[in-house]
């Protein structure tokens, strides 16, 4: 059982490691079932892990498992839950009244709409616009939460009243996933195509992974994160 | 290729059948690979399907596939996407400006919070409260959309500006799933424990399923939907 | 980390627990993320687990994970690996020479072909037939293994030479699966419709599950294993 | 509904296309749900598909589905079924008596064990050894099948009698998988690391894929099959 630890993310969120099973040696041990007895030193273990990573022998990486407790805004969670190879438990907004905690980026954290990449924010807003936008966002949270409370006070069911709550509100969930699919998640969500907010969470998750399976992490950086694929005509 | 058809759901949503592959006979044909040549008449097909359903031989039901195009509020979609055994493509609110379409239940569609079942709405609200709540919901959508537009006008990236949008806003997606897992979805989402709004969508999906695989549907009603499990001590 | 333990199965096989993550309390803890703080006593935990089991709230059961090391004949493994919700690593018969270990049932373990159930064995064989059959099976293993060795001696690639090896030969693998899907496996493979040989393995797996999550196991027996479903027309 | 077609593989096997759903245009159509209306010409479709393939936007490729009927030796099927993202129905050797059809490579099809690559066959055997080995394989099938029949005649249950049957015996199954995961299967099983026998099946599957989604196929060859990944230190 790993020591619980918590890494704060964004203004009110966090990633906490609840538990993990297996480590670098488990991967080697599982691979050895296939390839017979063999490597013994850390150096040989590292070489075997590197071989598996390079040749996409991904099944041994599935032998390691992580469970996280995460607090994040709904719009981040919506992106996160598109990854289906995981087990999840989330707060029910039918069962509980959600708290008034919204993602409120500071003026300096607001990004301008990119002209080139239709899908992303890019660069800072001018100071005045940023101030105005940040204030707007804060006001939006306050106003909407007052309405939510009014709906509840009128007796409206929580499951319907919550329909006014914004996707910037914080929610919490447990996330359990094996290392192979977690690395796949990290590859996609550490990438600069991913939205900055989920990238902040991915970096926190990566910290825990790196600490648990250092040999795998080095190999992942070498062969995946910092590798480059040349297409047939580029070769 | 099946005729595209559309069933309206809630105030602005729909379920549309995009395509389907296989039918009652495909299931029988796949099961026959296992059990050898055999049934020939519709009656024998029905009996075989019933046998498979009763004994949870679920793999032949996976041989049939459906693709839907759905328009639904985000809070419904959040429940829907928890089902992981499907393929999905959804509008990107990073890429596109979302339209100002919100789920706005009429006063008669608003439910009171149940005292017994913490997770559900139950029964109508008194008329005055219902009127007030319905007006509140409509105003919430309008106000928030104005703020969204203002944020966009200030140059804020769409991916950040959308954080003010409520989970009651409509989104669209493609949903592709095999029949076995779709029946599992229907079992959970036609059930009275599910929120009324997603049950409305489940009923629309069920219409398409029923039309495509009538023998399976009859068997599903008999052995799953309207069956009852007695626990060991109830026996 | 759980103590490794080994349960012998059939004449030469075993199930060994390599590792496990989570227990009854983890399930309760994960469910509480959804339903808020609450149960505290073991009694309350048991009631919550029972509620989840009865209402098929299966996601909290996915929070517990098991890793087994198994040695079994290929025909058992072929049935086992049809369960897709698991991670696997198996000996490679391309990489290694398989050992001459075959499943050799004693005369008393041989079953007669059922006349009623085309899919099963049922009852004992007459003594003389059983003796003869048991001797035949033993001879088959010996002869075939000699041929395998001769093919290897001729220089034939292991991956081709192994094509003479019977599905009764033993192989080994790591099996990692979450508790929800493991219970599903057990439900199907403890059932009397399953072949006696895989049922023997399922019983060994069940021992480990029972020891790790006793509250879940009791609930599973009550609501699944020993429950009975009445169809609509039987009600 | 696509025309059923059959491609023979190995000495007695085949791959037959049973059905397919969707094509290049479906992928574009699904992607457009995310990115809004847009491309119209085949040329623009090809560019969009290329973009999706290059950037690993894999979800639109899941919108296309294939169903195959395959006849192959068990040792090939054992490799095939390790791919879990598919739906399967296979002949039951508990229910039916298997036919005496074995994979019997001609002398020219036998491979020598590679010294370099422990996992593979490589190059031809000398003629004399090849003749001898081929004869041995043929005899092995005949002898073992006689024993199988004798066990059945003694009254042994089919499910136990089959334990003498070799992994070189042919079996049949239905295989249904989405295009994204089928491409993943092809990438791994067309590769020279895969065993020659399953590569022969992969080539047959590839024929059907190529015919159904020509734009995807071109892009897959360019960005996956014939691409090369340079690791961080190779860059
Ligand atoms: C009335 C109701 C109330 C609910 N309340 C809550 C709540 O308060 N909090 C909450 O978090 N959720 C809640 N849920 C969601 C619920 O926990 C499930 O996530 C959802 O119903 C999907 O069910 P599923 O996992 O069986 O379906 P699918 O995801 O479609 O999976 C079907 C089956 O496939 C297998 N499977 C698929 N993917 C995986 C995987 N990655 N790992 C392992 N096995 C897999 C499993 O056997 C699973 O049973 C609720 C659901 C209902 C119907
Ligand atoms: C930068 C970026 C932009 C994106 N933009 C959009 C967008 O505009 N619209 C949109 O809809 N999505 C978008 N996505 C989400 C994307 O399409 C994927 O849904 C998400 O990244 C999860 O990836 P995955 O499917 O590989 O992961 P997982 O769901 O974890 O799956 C991993 C692998 O498991 C297999 N698998 C798991 N479940 C299934 C299943 N049910 N059926 C078949 N195979 C399965 C597949 O091989 C899959 O590759 C975006 C993602 C990123 C990173
Ligand atoms: C040349 C070669 C040699 C091999 N040698 C060996 C060997 O010696 N021993 C051995 O055991 N295997 C061996 N394999 C098999 C290999 O380990 C994989 O099991 C097989 O290739 C299937 O790959 P996959 O898991 O990516 O595919 P799929 O099972 O189709 O999965 C596709 C993706 O979906 C996701 N996914 C699907 N199901 C699950 C699940 N239950 N849990 C988590 N994620 C899931 C994962 O992201 C996965 O990458 C070999 C394969 C090849 C090609
Ligand atoms: C007594 C008995 C007799 C049998 N006879 C035969 C036979 O004659 N022929 C034969 O072919 N099989 C036979 N089977 C195997 C059976 O069809 C199933 O393949 C096997 O039991 C695994 O069950 P599962 O799919 O529910 O489990 P898992 O593969 O563990 O899946 C659990 C759940 O996860 C979801 N899931 C996981 N992977 C996928 C995926 N790729 N696509 C969609 N959903 C997925 C589904 O909801 C599934 O129900 C038999 C099984 C039993 C117990």
């Amino acid at each position: 059982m790993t020591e619980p630890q918590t890494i704060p993310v964004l203004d009110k969120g966090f990633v906490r490691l609840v538990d993990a099973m297996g480590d670098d040696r488990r991967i080697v041990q599982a691979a050895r079932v296939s390839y017979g007895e063999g490597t013994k030193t850390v150096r040989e273990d590292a070489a075997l892990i590197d071989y598996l990573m390079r040749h996409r022998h991904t099944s041994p990486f599935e032998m390691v498992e992580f469970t996280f407790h995460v607090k994040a805004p709904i719009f981040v969670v919506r992106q996160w839950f598109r990854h289906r190879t995981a087990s999840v438990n989330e707060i029910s907004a039918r069962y509980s009244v959600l708290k008034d905690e919204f993602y409120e980026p500071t003026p300096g954290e607001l990004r301008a709409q990119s002209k080139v990449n239709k899908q992303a924010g890019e660069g800072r807003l001018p100071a005045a616009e940023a101030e105005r936008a940040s204030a707007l966002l804060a006001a939006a949270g306050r106003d909407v939460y007052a309405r939510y409370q009014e709906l509840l006070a009128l007796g409206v069911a929580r499951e319907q009243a919550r329909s006014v709550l914004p996707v910037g509100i914080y929610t919490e969930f447990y996330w359990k996933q094996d290392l192979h699919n977690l690395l796949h998640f990290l590859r996609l969500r550490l990438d600069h195509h991913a939205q900055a907010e989920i990238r902040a969470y991915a970096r926190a998750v990566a910290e825990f992974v790196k600490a648990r399976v250092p040999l795998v992490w080095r190999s992942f950086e070498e062969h995946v994160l910092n590798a480059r694929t040349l297409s047939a005509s580029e070769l």
Side-chain angles (χ1 to χ4, degrees), chain A residues 17 41 72 79 84 91 98 110 119 123 129 163 183 215 219:
Chain A
L17 180 63
T41 64
Q79 296 173 346
R84 298 156 296 178
I91 289 183
L98 291 194
L110 284 169
Q119 204 178 242
E129 277 78 358
S163 75
L183 291 178
L215 297 180
S219 191

Side-chain angles (χ1 to χ4, degrees), chain A residues 84-92 94:
Chain A
R84 298 156 296 178
T85 49
S87 297
V88 189
N89 273 98
E90 192 193 348
I91 289 183
S92 167
R94 299 178 65 201

